[in-house]
Amino acid sequence: QVQLVESGGGLVQPGGSLRLSCAASRSIFSINRMGWYRQAPGKERELVATIISGGSTNYADSVKGRFTISRDNAKNTVYLQMNSVKPEDTAVYYCHAYFFPSRNDYWGQGTQVTVSS
C-alpha cells in the first residue's frame, strides 16, 4: 500500500512552466510504474506520462516534447515538469502508482492546474 500526495499545481500563463511533485509514503524503488494522469471538466481521465522502475518513460502525444516525467528514488518523489503549457492542459492532475504482478494501483487526491492569461 502507498499514499500519494501531489503538490505544485496552480495558475500559469500560456507558454509558462510548472513542476508538479508526487510524494509517496514509502520507497518508490519497489513501485513498478508511476505516472501522471489528468482530467479536464466534462472529460475522462487520460494518461499524461508514465515512468517504470527501470527509468523508461512514456508520454501522451499531446504533451511530447513539452512535459518531462522523472523520479527521485532517494526522495520517494515523482515529478512532472510542464513547459510551454497551453490552455488545453488545464485539468486536475493525478499521481498514480501501479504494482506488478498484483495489479494493485493507487491514486493521489489530485492537484489543479489552470492555464490562462
Side-chain angles (χ1 to χ4, degrees), residues 17 24 40 46 49 58 74 87 95 112:
S17 297
E46 63 177 4
N58 181 55
C95 183
Q112 175 71 46

CSV table of all heavy atoms in Angstrom, one decimal, residues 17 24 40 46 49 58 74 87 95 112:
chain,number,residue,atom,x,y,z
A,17,SER,N,5.8,27.7,-17.4
A,17,SER,CA,6.2,26.4,-16.9
A,17,SER,C,5.7,26.1,-15.4
A,17,SER,O,5.4,27.1,-14.7
A,17,SER,CB,7.7,26.3,-16.8
A,17,SER,OG,8.3,26.4,-18.1
A,24,ALA,N,5.5,10.0,-2.2
A,24,ALA,CA,5.0,8.7,-1.8
A,24,ALA,C,5.3,8.4,-0.3
A,24,ALA,O,6.3,8.9,0.2
A,24,ALA,CB,5.5,7.6,-2.7
A,40,ALA,N,-9.9,16.8,-17.3
A,40,ALA,CA,-10.5,18.1,-17.5
A,40,ALA,C,-12.0,18.1,-17.3
A,40,ALA,O,-12.6,17.0,-17.4
A,40,ALA,CB,-10.2,18.6,-18.9
A,46,GLU,N,-7.2,10.9,-18.5
A,46,GLU,CA,-6.4,10.5,-19.5
A,46,GLU,C,-4.9,10.4,-19.0
A,46,GLU,O,-4.5,11.1,-18.2
A,46,GLU,CB,-6.5,11.4,-20.7
A,46,GLU,CG,-6.0,12.8,-20.5
A,46,GLU,CD,-6.0,13.6,-21.8
A,46,GLU,OE1,-6.5,13.2,-22.8
A,46,GLU,OE2,-5.6,14.8,-21.7
A,49,ALA,N,1.8,10.8,-18.6
A,49,ALA,CA,3.1,10.3,-18.7
A,49,ALA,C,3.3,9.2,-17.7
A,49,ALA,O,2.7,9.3,-16.6
A,49,ALA,CB,4.2,11.4,-18.5
A,58,ASN,N,7.0,7.1,-20.9
A,58,ASN,CA,6.0,7.1,-22.0
A,58,ASN,C,5.2,8.3,-21.8
A,58,ASN,O,4.9,8.8,-20.7
A,58,ASN,CB,5.2,5.9,-21.9
A,58,ASN,CG,4.1,5.8,-23.0
A,58,ASN,OD1,4.5,5.8,-24.1
A,58,ASN,ND2,2.9,5.7,-22.6
A,74,ALA,N,15.6,8.6,-4.0
A,74,ALA,CA,16.0,8.9,-2.6
A,74,ALA,C,15.0,9.8,-1.9
A,74,ALA,O,14.9,9.7,-0.6
A,74,ALA,CB,17.4,9.7,-2.7
A,87,PRO,N,-3.6,26.3,-22.9
A,87,PRO,CA,-4.9,26.3,-22.1
A,87,PRO,C,-5.5,24.9,-22.1
A,87,PRO,O,-6.2,24.6,-21.1
A,87,PRO,CB,-5.8,27.3,-23.0
A,87,PRO,CG,-4.8,28.2,-23.6
A,87,PRO,CD,-3.6,27.4,-23.9
A,95,CYS,N,-1.5,11.7,-9.5
A,95,CYS,CA,-0.4,10.8,-9.5
A,95,CYS,C,-0.9,9.4,-9.3
A,95,CYS,O,-1.9,9.2,-8.6
A,95,CYS,CB,0.5,11.2,-8.3
A,95,CYS,SG,2.0,10.2,-8.1
A,112,GLN,N,-4.9,20.9,-9.0
A,112,GLN,CA,-5.5,21.6,-10.1
A,112,GLN,C,-4.4,22.4,-10.8
A,112,GLN,O,-3.6,23.1,-10.2
A,112,GLN,CB,-6.5,22.6,-9.6
A,112,GLN,CG,-7.1,23.5,-10.6
A,112,GLN,CD,-8.0,22.8,-11.6
A,112,GLN,OE1,-8.9,21.9,-11.2
A,112,GLN,NE2,-7.8,23.0,-12.9
